[in-house]
Structure formats: C-alpha cells, structure tokens
C-alpha cells in the first residue's frame, strides 16, 4: 500500500520502468537512448561491512566567497577505479560538511596528469547527471624553479617543483636552488621539506645528490632519516672510525656534487679533497661546490 506522495512519486516507475525513459524523452526532451532492458535493483545502499574511504589530504578553506573543501589526491599511475571513488568522495564530503568540495590531483607523471585531467562524466551522452573536473598539478604545469631568488621567494613552491621535476637533467639546478632557499627558513620547517623531497626522488643519482647537498648545509641531519643514511654509509665503509669516517664521507660528497654538476675534477683537486681530514674545511668546500664554476673554485678564498 502506498502511504505518501513521496513514495508514490517514485514507485510508479517501479510499476512501469519504461515510463521513466519516456518521461525523460517526451517531458524533459532529454535525448536518453532507448533501453533494451530495464531491471529494478535493491534500493538499500547500506554497507553491512565497513568500507574504507580515505582521501590523501583534506583541507577546509575559508574565503570571502565561502568555505571550500580541498581534496588532494596523490596519483602515481592511471587507475580507472578513481572514476568511481573521486565522485563518491566529493558527494560524501558535500553531504557531510555542506561545503563545496574541490578535487586536486598531483602527480609526477605526464601521462597520469593527462588522464587525471579528463572530466569524469556519469550519465549518458548529452546529459550528464554528474560531472567531476579534477584540477591537476603535474610536470606539465608546475614551474621549474632553478633560480635561487625565485626559490627563496616561495620555498614551498620550490619544494613542489623539486618533488615534481626532480629527475633527469633538470634535477641538479632545481635541487641546488632549493638547497640554498632552505637556509632562509626555520630549520624545523626545512627538515620537513627535506624529507618530502627525499621521498619523491625516484632517481637514485638525484636522491644521492640531494642528500649530499643537505649534508653540506646540515639540515638533512636533523631528520630521523639521517640515521638510515648514516647506517648505509657505515655499510659502504665510509666510516672507518668516528672522525675519520665523517671526514671521508664529506670529502666524497664534495667530489660528487662537482661531478653531478658536470664540472671536471682534475686529479690535484681530487687528491687535495680526499687528503683533507678537517670536517669544518670539507664543509666549507661542500658549500662552495654548490656554486663553483670550476673545481679549483673550492680553494679560491685560501
């Protein structure tokens, strides 16, 4: 028995499912395609078992124009399941908070960026019931920051640049400019940013260069990850004793920075650096190596 207009208004379509498509076509003039078959499904959408639905980062932004929920998703590869989960996230968040949700996808991969930027349209062609248009941050639109002054003006953006572009031939100038910029902010924030970049550098050579640069300015060693690297150094025989091992590691780091910057290292420079057992002197050389034009520039002030 039908007990209310609310129930009647939808149950009529259970009685005659084809009526719904005819109403779309004739009343709303929506060109819905003619169905071959219509089947009634269970209307209970309750989940008996808890289903984990978790976004990567969720921020609430208050603006003069209203409140927005910023849904940030980190995407490593193409995953068509997101075409279902992302609309769900936005609908759920709107229902829960009654704030406009904005989906932002960040990726290091150009192919993934192009895929993620494609609108998600649910419905039928010409009349979509729901359209989701992600905002995508990736290699094709995040700026490449290689200038120290530009990096200092916006250190978080420089960090994002390193996280997005920190591979291949562009890695060295990006990481070098960021290393300099980190010295202009408080050490605790710098240590956090260092870990973000370190985690995103998939290229082993770029990762090692980054760690060498951070050793030179001592921010890296404020982070717990430093213990892992020191352990790796011990396994590689870089510490043959506490002081001697530290000096040897710094000497190797000075030469690697020059090498990765494409600066030829004459034998007499290499020998002088390796022979040095003064950690303070090696640290000064490491800082000069970041900006040196020639290997001999390490010693210009001496």
């Amino acid at each position: 028995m039908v007990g209310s207009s609310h129930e009647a208004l939808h149950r009529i379509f259970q009685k005659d499912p084809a009526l719904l498509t005819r109403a779309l076509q004739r009343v709303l003039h929506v060109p819905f395609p003619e169905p071959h078959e219509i089947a009634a499904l269970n209307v209970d959408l309750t989940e008996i078992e808890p289903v984990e639905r978790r976004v990567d980062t969720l921020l609430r932004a208050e603006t003069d124009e209203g409140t927005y929920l910023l849904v940030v998703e980190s995407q490593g590869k193409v995953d068509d399941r997101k075409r279902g989960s992302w609309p769900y996230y936005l609908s759920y968040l709107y229902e829960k908070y009654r704030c406009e949700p904005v989906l932002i996808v960040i990726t290091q991969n150009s192919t993934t960026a192009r895929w993620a930027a494609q609108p998600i349209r649910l419905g039928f062609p010409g009349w979509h019931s729901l359209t989701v248009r992600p905002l995508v941050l990736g290699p094709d639109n995040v700026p490449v920051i290689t200038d120290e002054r530009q990096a200092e003006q916006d250190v978080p953006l420089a960090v994002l640049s390193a996280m997005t572009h920190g591979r291949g031939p562009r890695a060295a100038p990006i990481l070098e400019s960021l290393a300099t910029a980190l010295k202009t902010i408080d050490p605790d924030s710098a240590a956090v940013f260092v870990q973000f970049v370190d985690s995103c550098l998939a290229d082993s050579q770029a990762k090692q260069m980054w760690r060498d640069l951070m050793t030179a300015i001592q921010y890296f060693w404020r982070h717990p990850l430093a213990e892992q690297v020191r352990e790796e150094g011990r396994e590689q025989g870089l510490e043959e004793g506490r002081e001697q091992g530290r000096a040897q590691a710094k000497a190797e780091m000075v030469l690697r920075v020059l090498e990765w910057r494409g600066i030829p290292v004459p034998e007499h420079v290499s020998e002088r650096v390796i022979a040095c057992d003064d950690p303070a002197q090696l640290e000064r050389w490491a800082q000069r190596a970041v900006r040196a034009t020639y290997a001999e520039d390490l010693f210009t002030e001496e």
Side-chain angles (χ1 to χ4, degrees):
M1 179 176 178
V2 176
S4 67
S5 61
H6 168 82
E7 191 173 8
L9 284 171
H10 70 82
R11 284 189 61 179
I12 188 173
F13 298 113
Q14 295 179 15
K15 176 64 176 177
D16 185 359
L19 174 62
L20 181 57
T21 60
R22 294 199 300 275
L24 291 175
Q25 296 167 348
R26 301 176 186 179
V27 178
L28 297 179
H29 305 290
V30 173
F32 192 91
E34 193 67 29
H36 299 294
E37 180 181 0
I38 299 179
L41 302 178
N42 191 336
V43 299
D44 189 355
L45 305 182
T46 304
E47 297 282 357
I48 299 177
E49 296 292 335
V51 178
E52 183 175 352
R53 305 282 191 181
R54 186 184 301 272
V55 299
D56 291 333
T57 292
L58 180 61
L59 305 173
R60 183 187 184 111
E62 302 283 352
T63 74
D64 292 338
E65 299 177 0
T67 302
Y68 296 91
L69 298 176
L70 305 181
V71 184
V72 184
E73 286 281 280
S74 176
Q75 194 67 27
K77 60 182 180 179
V78 173
D79 183 358
D80 286 332
R81 292 177 300 176
K82 295 295 185 179
R83 300 185 64 81
S85 58
W86 284 343
Y88 172 87
Y89 295 161
L90 301 182
S91 299
Y92 174 84
L93 290 170
Y94 180 78
E95 176 65 21
K96 181 175 182 179
Y97 295 101
R98 290 295 168 176
C99 299
E100 299 292 342
V102 179
L103 175 61
I104 303 166
V105 180
I106 182 168
T107 180
Q108 295 175 295
N109 184 276
S110 295
T111 301
T112 303
R114 289 190 293 271
W115 163 81
Q118 297 175 2
I120 300 172
R121 297 186 175 95
L122 304 181
F124 63 93
W127 196 277
H128 302 107
S129 300
L130 176 64
T131 300
V132 176
R133 298 180 62 189
L135 298 170
V136 181
L137 296 171
D140 298 328
N141 56 12
V142 173
V144 177
I145 298 179
T146 59
D147 180 76
E148 294 178 5
R149 292 184 180 180
Q150 187 180 1
E152 292 173 3
Q153 291 173 357
D154 194 337
V155 175
L157 182 60
V159 172
L160 181 61
S161 177
M163 294 165 62
T164 308
H165 301 285
R167 62 178 64 187
R170 295 183 294 184
I174 294 173
L175 298 178
E176 290 164 9
S177 64
L178 176 59
T180 301
L182 287 175
K183 293 187 288 186
T184 66
I185 65 175
D186 69 276
D188 290 335
S189 295
V192 174
F193 287 147
V194 166
Q195 172 60 12
F196 286 167
V197 175
D198 189 88
S199 299
C200 287
L201 293 176
D203 183 86
S204 59
Q205 191 175 48
K207 184 185 287 286
Q208 186 58 56
M209 179 183 182
W210 177 242
R211 292 181 175 182
D212 288 343
L213 289 169
M214 293 302 96
T215 302
I217 61 176
Q218 295 186 334
Y219 282 139
F220 180 74
W221 303 100
R222 296 173 58 89
H223 197 278
L225 181 63
E227 182 57 37
Q228 172 186 339
V229 179
R230 284 194 286 268
E231 182 62 30
E232 292 173 359
R234 283 192 288 270
E235 293 175 358
Q236 296 170 7
L238 296 180
E239 289 192 5
E240 299 174 355
R242 198 176 190 88
E243 295 300 324
Q244 180 181 359
R246 183 177 297 120
Q248 182 178 349
K250 284 181 177 289
E252 294 283 351
M253 179 266 297
V254 171
L255 298 177
R256 279 200 298 267
V257 171
L258 292 174
E259 177 186 349
W260 286 329
R261 295 189 61 218
I263 298 176
V265 181
E267 185 175 351
H268 70 277
V269 172
S270 177
E271 291 176 351
R272 181 173 176 179
V273 172
I274 293 297
C276 180
D277 59 1
D278 181 357
Q281 179 64 72
L282 288 167
E283 184 175 329
R284 286 192 291 272
W285 288 347
Q287 293 174 358
R288 293 174 192 167
V290 174
R291 296 185 176 86
T293 303
Y294 303 99
E296 289 81 358
D297 292 345
L298 297 179
F299 318 125
T300 53
E301 298 180 10
E302 300 167 16

